[in-house]
Amino acid sequence: MASNEVKLLGTSLSPFVLRARIALNLKSVDHVFMEVGIFTKKSDLFLKSNPVHKKMPILIHGDRPICESLIIVQYIDKVWASGPAILPSDPYDQATARFWAAYLDDKWYRRLTAIILSQGEEAKKAALEDTIQGLNLLEEAFAKCSKGKKFFGGGKIGYLDIALGSFVVWMRATQKLANVSLIDESKTPNLFKWAQDFSAMLL
């Protein structure tokens, strides 16, 4: 497929855009990445492609736009089915992966960003506690989903790996900026090793 048939609009700094980029690369999909400035005026193509939320990323396949990062990852998995599967094949495992990915976006990510953005020590402390509590839950989820292997998806990067892995850089930056410990080798050893293995796969 020609690269001009697949376009990805977004900023390189966004963890949500990173999800789509990882999925496209895992499937070896030839595509054009179109950088979108965070604070610059959005192009007509961007606004036309996502008139509802006006958010990135946007995947354009042919002349059809697909929006929202997790929906894009699922779309890529279905359309380019000849590449390595991203979603688990087992219906229960697939439902579990989708549940935790939705939890990340609906609740956990907001707490992570609040560690830096909150006003006042009490608010930051509450955000930190909630973020760590979420990581503890994900530590338990990893033990069940990975079935003793390197990734949430088992022996290879899967849907939940992409969903959480897109935040690894943000977590490391938050640890430095706020002088806090998030993924800790002693408290969340599975996630600590997983983050190392996930990052190594992307290099």
Side-chain angles (χ1 to χ4, degrees):
M1 177 176 290
S3 62
N4 61 3
E5 293 186 23
V6 182
K7 300 181 181 70
L8 179 64
L9 283 64
T11 175
S12 303
L13 299 175
S14 167
F16 301 101
V17 174
L18 180 59
R19 289 174 175 174
R21 299 185 79 175
I22 292 171
L24 288 167
N25 289 332
L26 283 177
K27 294 284 189 174
S28 299
V29 178
D30 191 18
H31 64 282
V32 173
F33 179 66
M34 302 177 69
E35 185 77 35
V36 177
I38 298 175
F39 303 110
T40 58
K41 183 179 179 181
K42 303 301 183 285
S43 68
D44 291 340
L45 175 63
F46 183 96
L47 297 174
K48 178 183 176 183
S49 299
N50 192 357
V52 177
H53 297 298
K54 299 179 176 64
K55 296 192 303 183
M56 58 186 84
I58 302 170
L59 181 75
I60 301 177
H61 183 197
D63 59 355
R64 299 179 298 180
I66 302 94
C67 305
E68 300 296 319
S69 64
L70 292 176
I71 293 173
I72 290 172
V73 171
Q74 293 174 50
Y75 179 86
I76 292 169
D77 192 36
K78 293 292 184 182
V79 171
W80 290 279
S82 60
I86 294 174
L87 281 159
S89 58
D90 179 81
Y92 180 78
D93 291 344
Q94 190 172 123
T96 300
R98 283 179 165 149
F99 169 84
W100 285 112
Y103 164 75
L104 288 171
D105 285 5
D106 295 343
K107 184 175 181 180
W108 182 83
Y109 173 67
R110 297 177 186 177
R111 306 313 295 164
L112 174 66
T113 56
I115 295 173
I116 299 295
L117 300 177
S118 293
Q119 300 295 319
E121 288 304 315
E122 287 301 317
K124 290 183 179 182
K125 181 180 178 182
L128 177 61
E129 290 175 352
D130 284 351
T131 302
I132 291 175
Q133 182 182 26
L135 289 172
N136 289 334
L137 292 173
L138 288 162
E139 173 81 2
E140 296 175 9
F142 179 86
K144 296 176 182 177
C145 295
S146 67
K147 298 178 174 62
K149 297 183 179 179
K150 290 173 65 172
F151 300 107
F152 282 96
K156 59 182 179 58
I157 289 176
Y159 183 72
L160 188 49
D161 295 288
I162 294 172
L164 179 59
S166 62
F167 296 126
V168 168
V169 172
W170 281 62
M171 281 190 280
R172 289 173 176 164
T174 300
Q175 289 182 144
K176 290 183 178 180
L177 291 171
N179 193 27
V180 297
S181 177
L182 295 176
I183 295 183
D184 185 279
E185 187 173 10
S186 62
K187 296 178 181 178
T188 52
N190 288 329
L191 287 184
F192 184 85
K193 181 64 167 58
W194 164 84
Q196 290 182 323
D197 291 336
F198 182 86
S199 298
M201 286 290 291
L202 300 184
L203 295 177

